[in-house]
């Protein structure tokens, strides 16, 4: 299933850097501090430092595959929509949801507008944060994964991509809080 027949903007430096398959690893241990980062929040036109959430609230980090503003991973597209539809459920529980994509800022702006995203969409076109979370890559983009951190910023749950289980279900993610 393709989300569009428009492949313009697909063959970028990011695509070729992430072309060869590298599986996700299980190196990040539950109970340890989640890797920090600072990325632009395209939804709210600001920069988010992950450390700002430490000692304030738990966070769901939802890494997703979006190839271009016109091409979504067919396995991730329904997950993005479900996260957006359930954003208020998470925030009512005191949880922030950060959607992280490897699209650049211009592509991400189109994604926010087209999908009417309520949750912050963070732009990581260098894939630096994806790599710090050991998510792996294949076919031109980093692989998806979900991480739940507690109020101290420690990892409490992680879901890494596999062909049997692409993304953690919304129900599973909500159960973590």
């Amino acid at each position: 299933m393709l989300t569009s027949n428009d492949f313009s903007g697909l063959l970028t430096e990011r695509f070729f850097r992430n072309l060869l398959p590298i599986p996700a690893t299980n190196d990040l241990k539950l109970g340890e501090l989640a890797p920090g980062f600072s990325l632009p929040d395209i939804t709210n036109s600001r920069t988010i430092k992950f450390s700002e959430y430490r000692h304030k609230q738990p966070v769901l980090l939802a890494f997703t595959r979006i190839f271009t503003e016109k091409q979504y991973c067919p396995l991730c597209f329904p997950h993005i929509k479900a996260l957006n539809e359930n954003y208020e459920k998470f925030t009512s529980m005191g949880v922030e949801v950060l959607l992280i994509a490897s699209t650049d800022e211009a592509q991400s702006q189109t994604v926010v507008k087209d999908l009417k995203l309520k949750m912050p969409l963070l732009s990581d076109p260098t894939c630096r944060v994806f790599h710090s979370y050991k998510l792996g890559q294949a076919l031109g983009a980093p692989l998806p994964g979900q991480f739940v951190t507690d109020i101290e910023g420690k990892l409490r749950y992680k879901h890494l991509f596999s062909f049997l289980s692409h993304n953690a279900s919304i129900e599973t993610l909500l159960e973590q809080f």
Side-chain angles (χ1 to χ4, degrees), residues 25-29 32-39 50 61 63 100 124 126-137 142-143 147 155 158 160:
T25 65
N26 213 9
D27 291 349
L28 296 176
K29 306 286 186 249
E32 66 182 35
L33 209 54
F37 60 83
S38 178
L39 290 172
F50 183 58
L61 299 171
F63 292 86
I100 304 170
D124 182 24
T126 65
C127 305
R128 177 183 46 81
V129 178
F130 277 89
H131 294 303
S132 72
Y133 278 80
K134 317 282 189 202
L135 287 165
Q137 65 185 41
L143 296 172
F147 296 85
L155 292 170
K158 65 180 174 179
L160 302 176

Side-chain angles (χ1 to χ4, degrees), residues 69-94:
E69 70 277 21
K70 299 172 192 93
Q71 282 295 329
Y72 297 83
C73 167
L75 304 174
C76 292
F77 185 68
H79 194 252
I80 296 167
K81 289 176 68 174
L83 283 169
N84 197 47
E85 290 166 6
N86 288 280
Y87 182 62
E88 286 85 5
K89 283 185 186 176
F90 287 101
T91 58
S92 72
M93 298 169 72

Side-chain angles (χ1 to χ4, degrees), residues 53-152:
Y53 294 97
R54 197 167 297 142
H55 305 294
K56 291 185 182 168
Q57 70 185 114
V59 177
L60 165 58
L61 299 171
F63 292 86
T64 193
R65 282 168 65 96
I66 301 174
F67 299 106
T68 74
E69 70 277 21
K70 299 172 192 93
Q71 282 295 329
Y72 297 83
C73 167
L75 304 174
C76 292
F77 185 68
H79 194 252
I80 296 167
K81 289 176 68 174
L83 283 169
N84 197 47
E85 290 166 6
N86 288 280
Y87 182 62
E88 286 85 5
K89 283 185 186 176
F90 287 101
T91 58
S92 72
M93 298 169 72
V95 177
E96 180 59 275
V97 178
L98 301 176
L99 183 66
I100 304 170
S102 62
T103 47
D104 64 30
E105 290 191 36
Q107 292 170 326
S108 296
Q109 288 170 351
T110 301
V111 169
V112 167
K113 181 180 157 200
D114 287 352
L115 298 183
K116 298 175 179 54
L117 290 183
K118 299 174 254 182
M119 62 191 152
L121 173 62
L122 309 186
S123 173
D124 182 24
T126 65
C127 305
R128 177 183 46 81
V129 178
F130 277 89
H131 294 303
S132 72
Y133 278 80
K134 317 282 189 202
L135 287 165
Q137 65 185 41
L139 304 173
L143 296 172
Q146 296 80 44
F147 296 85
V148 170
T149 65
D150 64 16
I151 197 164
E152 296 174 9

